[in-house]
Amino acid sequence: MKRLTLAFLVALPATAAEQAYIQLLESDVSVQVNPRGQYNYFDEGPIWETLEKSGWQEAQKAAANQPVSESLQEEIKYRSSLEQLDKAISSNQTAQAERLLAQNPQWSNCTRVQWAWLDLKQEVQSGYGPKSKQKLSQLLSNCPEHALSTTQKTLGWANAYAGPDILSRYKNSSSYSPAEYEKLAYQVNLASLGQQKLSTSQTRSASQIILQKKDAKGAELLGWQHLKKKQYSSALEWFEKSINWTATPSQKQIEGKILSLQQLGKADEAKRYQQLWASRYPGLKKIGSGNSSPQLAKACQSDPQACLQMLYQSKTLSAEQHALAGWQWYKIDRPLTAKRSFEKALEGMDSNNKQYQSTQYGYTLALNKAGFEQHAELLANNLADPSQKMLYAKQKETKAILNAYEKQDYQYVIDRSEAFEQTYGKEVGLAEIKGWAYYNQKQNNKAVKTFRELVDAYPHDDNLQDALKTAECALKKSYKLCY
């Protein structure tokens, strides 16, 4: 009877209640019975795997019409938005980038650090100002595990002038590493070697570190520094060190040594060295001939007047030489003459010429500087290179600020300088003018702050030191105690 009852009981549908008790071998066994409709478990593991291996687009296709979790939906949305934000920032689509950031503030955190990095990148690219500094400090403080990477990335995004401040913020963070800081500081100093003319003390300090590290790139940059200063023996010495510390020297290293030898009057040695490397670097064959002669190249880099004298020794100039002359006239603030030179260059230059776009750009700058703003604006709109369009806009804005300063419209200078910095980053000359505009407006606190930032960035500039002292005296209202 027990067997029949058991068989009968087992055969009964267990749908009436969530809990059923069945007599089994004289023992009470509790069996959990799920209600109908709850057997809908969906394994979304393969979709997560697709997301990691093939990207969000494929994962989105795989998840279509499937009962996936909210976390998977959120992750797909995040990956998609991250890609859109990266593209928007890279292509300078500021409005789109800001819209994406505003729509998803929840992702600017350490868990989504890539989003937080792009948020910081967007801010830094528009100028290393107060908001950039605030976001950098927050990331360093809140995400110490990413502090070093955050610092490295910010240094890569910001202009060179921001380097000391970025390093200072990293140094004051909880994740500060002296060894990593030293590496970063060296890289910042190395970048300055290739961008500006260093003082004697700066060069000496750089030399000691480069010798200690036996850094080939640093030695090469020091070689170019000495070459610019006409210190040819020192230049040769550093180029030779750079070459000796490199397994396979680059064309620039070899070129530096050849130019140094030529300037020292060692023409035969320079020629032999040039022939030795010409098969590997065919571009070296141009050194010493035509526009690429070392004397002309050197003069055109640092002495526009000498460059022009050498160019006009020839009775006839090629289109490329006219373009070169145009740039030299532009450098010495002769925009009308530069305009004529660029016009001659464009007349004789084929549009397929590699220099055509840069010559057209130079012509646009010369027109604007000479007062032909409408013509310049028209040509600027036709420039193919977006970076050249941006540089033209930058020059145009610079000119407007300088003109306003000359007209003593100091409030315009202040307002437009701040907008300029947000768009293009700080420029030393314009920052100094803004400081004097504050001074003339009797906003002495702001003048002191502006000049102090410049002095911190360029401690060896006597003009900036004097400007700071003047502003501080005005703030104290006692020039007698200052001077």
Side-chain angles (χ1 to χ4, degrees):
M1 183 64 184
K2 282 186 179 180
R3 287 185 180 177
L4 290 174
T5 304
L6 177 61
F8 178 72
L9 287 172
V10 170
L12 287 174
T15 59
E18 295 186 7
Q19 191 83 358
Y21 291 92
I22 300 174
Q23 189 78 8
L24 183 62
L25 299 178
E26 305 292 339
S27 300
D28 285 336
V29 179
S30 179
V31 179
Q32 185 74 27
V33 181
N34 289 325
R36 195 177 296 238
Q38 291 190 12
Y39 295 96
N40 60 352
Y41 174 74
F42 175 74
D43 182 12
E44 61 184 30
I47 301 180
W48 283 99
E49 189 174 343
T50 299
L51 179 64
E52 296 302 326
K53 291 183 178 180
S54 305
W56 67 268
Q57 295 96 332
E58 294 301 318
Q60 191 176 60
K61 291 177 185 177
N65 302 319
Q66 299 291 349
V68 297
S69 64
E70 288 185 8
S71 61
L72 178 55
Q73 293 174 10
E74 174 76 359
E75 187 65 24
I76 292 174
K77 179 187 175 185
Y78 168 69
R79 301 283 182 97
S80 169
S81 300
L82 187 70
E83 184 177 305
Q84 292 177 54
L85 180 59
D86 189 23
K87 288 181 180 178
I89 294 174
S90 300
S91 57
N92 293 318
Q93 297 178 26
T94 306
Q96 183 182 351
E98 289 179 350
R99 185 169 60 253
L100 283 165
L101 289 167
Q103 289 172 349
N104 302 285
Q106 75 279 9
W107 290 335
S108 281
N109 55 56
C110 303
T111 306
R112 302 290 196 185
V113 70
Q114 290 180 314
W115 186 270
W117 279 336
L118 287 178
D119 188 1
L120 176 60
K121 182 180 180 181
Q122 167 69 9
E123 197 65 56
V124 170
Q125 284 190 167
S126 63
Y128 187 70
K131 288 185 178 179
S132 301
K133 295 174 183 178
Q134 181 184 8
K135 288 187 176 182
L136 172 60
S137 294
Q138 286 175 344
L139 260 177
L140 292 174
S141 175
N142 298 335
C143 310
E145 67 274 24
H146 301 297
L148 179 59
S149 296
T150 299
T151 305
Q152 291 170 327
K153 290 177 182 295
T154 311
L155 287 170
W157 299 327
N159 290 331
Y161 79 87
D165 183 82
I166 295 168
L167 288 175
S168 174
R169 290 172 191 274
Y170 172 65
K171 191 172 185 178
N172 293 325
S173 71
S174 61
S175 296
Y176 163 68
S177 163
E180 295 298 337
Y181 175 85
E182 184 182 346
K183 293 177 185 176
L184 292 174
Y186 179 67
Q187 291 300 320
V188 170
N189 292 332
L190 199 63
S192 69
L193 280 176
Q195 292 180 355
Q196 61 190 36
K197 193 173 182 179
L198 301 185
S199 66
T200 303
S201 60
Q202 287 175 313
T203 305
R204 188 183 304 114
S205 175
S207 302
Q208 293 172 352
I209 299 174
I210 290 167
L211 281 171
Q212 181 183 358
K213 293 179 175 290
K214 292 187 176 181
D215 180 19
K217 185 61 179 177
E220 180 197 339
L221 292 173
L222 267 183
W224 290 110
Q225 282 282 333
H226 285 291
L227 201 58
K228 290 177 185 176
K229 296 177 182 178
K230 301 182 181 180
Q231 299 168 348
Y232 304 123
S233 295
S234 296
L236 178 61
E237 180 183 346
W238 282 107
F239 281 125
E240 287 181 336
K241 281 184 170 61
S242 176
I243 291 168
N244 289 337
W245 292 338
T246 307
T248 304
S250 68
Q251 180 172 330
K252 291 298 292 181
Q253 288 171 293
I254 303 300
E255 182 181 340
K257 180 174 179 178
I258 292 171
L259 293 174
S260 301
L261 288 169
Q262 289 175 337
Q263 294 300 331
L264 288 168
K266 301 179 179 181
D268 292 340
E269 187 177 348
K271 189 174 181 180
R272 286 196 299 271
Y273 201 68
Q274 183 178 8
Q275 291 172 342
L276 177 65
W277 287 92
S279 59
R280 185 180 187 90
Y281 301 118
L284 294 174
K285 295 176 183 177
K286 297 179 181 179
I287 296 179
S289 62
N291 288 352
S292 299
S293 67
Q295 294 84 0
L296 181 61
K298 178 177 173 297
C300 294
Q301 283 183 353
S302 57
D303 191 345
Q305 294 282 7
C307 175
L308 288 166
Q309 288 176 3
M310 295 175 69
L311 277 172
Y312 288 116
Q313 286 175 358
S314 303
K315 292 182 180 180
T316 58
L317 298 181
S318 66
E320 290 79 8
Q321 288 172 323
H322 277 301
L324 182 57
W327 284 111
Q328 304 311 306
W329 289 119
Y330 183 80
K331 284 180 186 178
I332 60 177
D333 205 21
R334 294 276 298 278
L336 281 172
T337 312
K339 168 182 170 291
R340 288 192 290 270
S341 292
F342 283 127
E343 285 171 346
K344 291 177 182 178
L346 290 169
E347 286 174 7
M349 192 178 290
D350 190 272
S351 60
N352 294 324
N353 191 307
K354 292 180 180 179
Q355 294 186 30
Y356 185 84
Q357 290 293 332
S358 62
T359 303
Q360 192 176 44
Y361 170 57
Y363 183 44
T364 304
L365 295 180
L367 281 169
N368 183 60
K369 201 168 188 180
F372 300 92
E373 285 92 351
Q374 290 183 338
H375 190 186
E377 194 75 22
L378 179 64
L379 289 179
N381 290 331
N382 294 326
L383 290 172
D385 189 341
S387 64
Q388 290 179 349
K389 286 185 178 180
M390 186 190 73
L391 289 171
Y392 165 76
K394 183 178 178 181
Q395 186 227 44
K396 180 183 174 184
E397 186 65 16
T398 301
K399 181 182 176 183
I401 294 171
L402 292 174
N403 288 342
Y405 187 82
E406 289 177 2
K407 294 176 182 177
Q408 299 183 5
D409 188 353
Y410 300 125
Q411 192 57 50
Y412 179 92
V413 172
I414 292 168
D415 294 340
R416 296 310 301 168
S417 293
E418 290 175 354
F420 181 97
E421 290 173 5
Q422 289 296 319
T423 305
Y424 304 108
K426 281 191 178 180
E427 294 283 348
V428 180
L430 286 183
E432 184 179 359
I433 286 173
K434 183 177 73 170
W436 285 117
Y438 280 133
Y439 175 82
N440 286 307
Q441 288 283 78
K442 301 189 183 306
Q443 299 181 41
N444 295 318
N445 279 313
K446 292 183 177 180
V448 168
K449 181 183 177 183
T450 302
F451 288 132
R452 185 167 288 142
E453 287 177 354
L454 288 170
V455 167
D456 290 342
Y458 303 94
H460 303 286
D461 191 315
D462 294 336
N463 291 329
L464 295 177
Q465 295 278 3
D466 290 340
L468 175 59
K469 192 171 184 180
T470 301
E472 288 175 336
C473 289
L475 187 61
K476 295 174 183 176
K477 298 181 180 178
S478 177
Y479 290 92
K480 184 180 292 186
L481 296 176
C482 290
Y483 287 95

